[in-house]
Amino acid sequence: MAETEPLYIYNTLSGKKEEFKPIAPPFVGLYTCGPTVYSDAHLGNVRTFLTFDIVYRYLTFLGYNVRYVRNITDVGHLLHDADEGEDKIEQRARMEKIEPMEIVQKYTNGFHDTVKTFNLIPPSIEPTATGHIIEQIEMIQRIIDNGFGYEVNGSVYFDVKKYSEQHDYGELSGRKIDELLEQTRDNLEGGNEKRFFADFAIWKKASNETIMKWPSPWSEGVPGWHLECSVMSTKYLGPQFDIHGGGMDLKFPHHECEIAQSVGADGINPVKYWMHGNMLTVNGTKMSKSLGNSFLPHELISGDHPLLDQGYSPMTVRFFFLQANYRSTIDFSNDALVAAEKGLKRLMNAVNLLDKLTIAEKTTIDIDSLIISCEKSMKDDFNTPITLAHLFDGVKMINSINDNKDQITKTDLKRLKDHYFNYVFEILGLKAENEESESRGLPDELMSLIINLRNQSKDNKDWATADLIRDELKRLNISIKDSKDTSTWNYEN
Ligand code: AMP
Ligand code: ZN
């Protein structure tokens, strides 16, 4: 691996940028908290997963052998503060009157479609919480054996107060245990089983009605939400691994609890670099399903949502996200997306021009500094907006060569092409317009052919064929809406 400049990563744990030194190079272990599959992922979720897609892509580009683990939370994420109330998936299953595992399958499939739409590379391993119940029970036992867990009525809680006597609970999030202590009395009223407000469930006894539950030494129940990530990250990446990522909102309590569990069970601080992506906001408020200000990827693409003036292509959205630093919030607006659409077009036009430029005897542009600048910005904590700015400096150069105001040799043109190929496609994961429109445009074209055939049969009063077409499409979950002049089509939910 030809290492030139070091890579710097902002480590939430230390609160500063640190030189990235993998534990066992060239291997890099990367873990990201995945989705809770009880509903469709919204665009805010996509932003966080995109952040770690860039981390994965860039580390791979640098030559590291990255094992990327992103889990699926399919049990244990409870409705209130993550460890009280009904399981989110069970609640949804009751609402939709289907099995919890059907909910899990449905929204896992949907999640996979979504991340593919935005050109996210699938992880190396995608473990599920339900697939690791035994390991979770084993970890709970180790926590109890070490004196950091206690059982009440079949549920097991992590003893935060005891832990904080020996360790620094709050080291990641900066929460002070004394402040948490003060809240204890108020919050423990009402028969709460926890000894201390900040204690959290690592095993919850299930009610008789609960469908998803497993036998354990303490009760038939479910593991606490934070536990799955502790178990699955260390199982696949080792007791201490390089990078753990997730959205900023997971820093506390989820990630703080992950540290406490690993230290409590095995005495090892599990993660060397903690990375947190910031939120996608709408008018300054975090996009969230419960606030009703979220939209789903297919709404964004079709433009079919009150917040949207028009539809935007997935690559426009990807470009929009990349224009902000992952540690800053980014506010959704139609203006910003329209600007992103234009920016992406300008970039891709220049990339297309690279195949059409005339070769000269000498080079009059500074390719070296372009390449060095892009490397510098990516190595400065994956700074994609600055990298894009450098790529746009290059766009000016490409246009200027195309206008015969500058010149380039054959060798330098190859270097320039390689550079854009690496950065635009491999590292930033953008796709060429035609690739995207091919995948989006073809169904549209086929559907308009089918709709025309159906309209022709209606004109010929061939109702049997018209109905057959409609029914067969319905079987494929495609509905046709007829209005006065046109017919439109859509996927049914
Ligand atoms: P969940 O499925 O709710 O567990 O969330 C999946 C991921 O999306 C987590 O890493 C969250 O931190 C992240 N997330 C949730 N809302 C937003 C948002 N508005 N902007 C960015 N990331 C988010
Ligand atoms: Zn997690």
Side-chain angles (χ1 to χ4, degrees):
M1 200 169 25
E3 198 64 64
T4 42
E5 281 201 44
L7 165 68
Y8 286 89
I9 295 184
Y10 182 89
N11 189 349
T12 320
L13 197 59
S14 63
K16 50 180 195 264
K17 283 181 195 164
E18 290 176 18
E19 187 177 335
F20 180 57
K21 291 191 176 145
I23 295 166
F27 178 80
V28 170
L30 169 65
Y31 185 89
T32 306
C33 294
T36 306
V37 283
Y38 72 108
S39 66
D40 288 313
H42 61 64
L43 205 65
N45 305 134
V46 172
R47 183 187 184 196
T48 291
F49 296 123
L50 173 63
T51 291
F52 295 98
D53 184 57
I54 296 291
V55 171
Y56 179 40
R57 284 170 178 273
Y58 193 56
L59 290 171
T60 306
F61 175 77
L62 290 180
Y64 290 113
N65 167 17
V66 189
R67 184 179 297 154
Y68 178 25
V69 182
R70 188 184 65 209
N71 71 304
I72 295 280
T73 297
D74 57 354
V75 75
H77 199 161
L78 305 187
L79 277 167
H80 304 298
D81 295 336
D83 75 359
E84 290 292 341
E86 193 175 16
D87 186 287
K88 287 187 177 191
I89 289 162
E90 285 231 9
Q91 190 206 37
R92 188 73 183 211
R94 247 187 329 100
M95 273 164 53
E96 295 196 20
K97 295 193 173 51
I98 54 178
E99 281 287 315
M101 272 297 154
E102 280 181 279
I103 292 290
V104 164
Q105 194 64 56
K106 176 175 168 183
Y107 292 109
T108 302
N109 292 348
F111 175 70
H112 287 156
D113 288 347
T114 296
V115 288
K116 193 154 181 238
T117 302
F118 292 96
N119 204 25
L120 271 60
I121 299 179
S124 333
I125 305 177
E126 194 175 51
T128 61
T130 55
H132 296 77
I133 300 291
I134 293 172
E135 292 89 335
Q136 295 186 73
I137 290 175
E138 287 168 355
M139 188 168 201
I140 297 168
Q141 193 59 60
R142 296 201 297 279
I143 291 172
I144 295 175
D145 292 347
N146 291 339
F148 295 117
Y150 58 91
E151 187 207 328
V152 184
N153 300 329
S155 291
V156 184
Y157 295 92
F158 191 94
D159 193 334
V160 171
K161 197 147 69 168
K162 176 93 181 285
Y163 177 83
S164 65
E165 284 161 17
Q166 297 165 41
H167 304 283
D168 183 9
Y169 186 79
E171 61 181 306
L172 181 67
S173 59
R175 307 266 167 146
K176 297 272 170 290
I177 195 78
D178 300 341
E179 291 163 18
L180 294 171
L181 258 174
E182 276 171 25
Q183 296 173 40
T184 306
R185 187 163 307 149
D186 289 347
N187 285 284
L188 283 186
E189 281 172 5
N192 197 313
E193 293 170 340
K194 296 176 190 176
R195 288 183 194 158
F196 172 44
F197 165 64
D199 292 355
F200 54 92
I202 46 182
W203 186 262
K204 274 296 251 190
K205 182 182 174 176
S207 68
N208 286 339
E209 299 79 55
T210 305
I211 299 171
M212 286 201 290
K213 58 186 168 192
W214 290 263
S216 79
W218 315 287
S219 64
E220 280 220 314
V222 291
W225 172 44
H226 313 306
L227 203 63
E228 59 169 287
C229 289
S230 286
V231 160
M232 296 190 284
S233 59
T234 53
K235 169 159 179 165
Y236 297 109
L237 300 174
Q240 199 192 34
F241 58 96
D242 298 295
I243 304 173
H244 191 317
M248 204 78 99
D249 54 342
L250 297 185
K251 200 159 47 164
F252 187 90
H254 187 53
H255 293 158
E256 194 73 65
C257 295
E258 274 189 58
I259 297 178
Q261 289 168 157
S262 282
V263 174
D266 303 313
I268 300 171
N269 213 320
V271 178
K272 199 165 172 199
Y273 305 89
W274 281 95
M275 289 182 70
H276 290 98
N278 215 326
M279 297 291 110
L280 171 66
T281 59
V282 182
N283 295 323
T285 308
K286 174 188 167 186
M287 179 177 279
S288 135
K289 204 160 174 250
S290 53
L291 294 174
N293 65 352
S294 67
F295 38 76
L296 303 176
H298 73 85
E299 294 170 327
L300 187 92
I301 293 163
S302 67
D304 189 12
H305 191 281
L307 284 169
L308 298 166
D309 294 345
Q310 61 170 85
Y312 303 98
S313 79
M315 284 309 112
T316 296
V317 177
R318 193 169 169 114
F319 186 89
F320 164 69
F321 284 146
L322 294 173
Q323 279 179 312
N325 189 297
Y326 79 90
R327 287 197 287 125
S328 315
T329 55
I330 182 168
D331 201 47
F332 164 83
S333 77
N334 282 285
D335 287 350
L337 276 165
V338 168
E341 198 169 62
K342 281 198 194 128
L344 176 64
K345 208 167 190 174
R346 236 179 95 222
L347 179 64
M348 288 305 184
N349 283 344
V351 172
N352 288 336
L353 271 184
L354 286 169
D355 279 329
K356 300 179 188 124
L357 295 181
T358 316
I359 287 160
E361 292 288 311
K362 60 177 194 299
T363 299
T364 56
I365 58 167
D366 190 352
I367 298 177
D368 288 329
S369 76
L370 176 68
I371 294 175
I372 292 167
S373 314
C374 288
E375 182 184 339
K376 261 198 175 141
S377 53
M378 280 312 284
K379 285 188 168 170
D380 179 16
D381 194 30
F382 312 93
N383 198 330
T384 55
I386 301 291
T387 306
L388 277 174
H390 294 316
L391 289 172
F392 276 105
D393 289 342
V395 166
K396 280 191 208 133
M397 296 176 194
I398 295 167
N399 289 336
S400 171
I401 297 168
N402 191 48
D403 294 341
N404 296 318
K405 290 179 191 147
D406 271 301
Q407 298 179 339
I408 193 161
T409 64
K410 192 175 171 192
T411 325
D412 282 340
L413 180 58
K414 164 119 188 17
R415 288 173 63 218
L416 193 62
K417 265 195 208 174
D418 286 349
H419 179 68
Y420 272 82
F421 181 86
N422 288 338
Y423 273 80
V424 175
F425 302 120
E426 296 290 306
I427 297 172
L428 299 180
L430 295 164
K431 275 200 290 192
E433 284 288 338
N434 53 356
E435 246 182 274
E436 208 195 348
S437 57
E438 261 166 34
S439 63
R440 283 166 16 88
L442 187 61
D444 261 336
E445 283 175 27
L446 288 174
M447 279 308 298
S448 87
L449 178 73
I450 294 169
I451 288 172
N452 283 342
L453 288 173
R454 178 167 168 264
N455 289 344
Q456 266 180 29
S457 27
K458 285 206 294 194
D459 289 345
N460 297 336
K461 302 207 176 339
D462 176 4
W463 308 118
T465 306
D467 287 350
L468 179 75
I469 293 175
R470 194 200 50 215
D471 293 346
E472 285 298 300
L473 288 174
K474 200 167 170 47
R475 209 171 51 81
L476 300 170
N477 284 335
I478 293 172
S479 63
I480 297 183
K481 224 198 244 159
D482 297 311
S483 61
K484 212 165 95 230
D485 314 310
T486 56
S487 304
T488 53
W489 72 278
N490 234 321
Y491 294 111
E492 286 178 352
N493 280 330

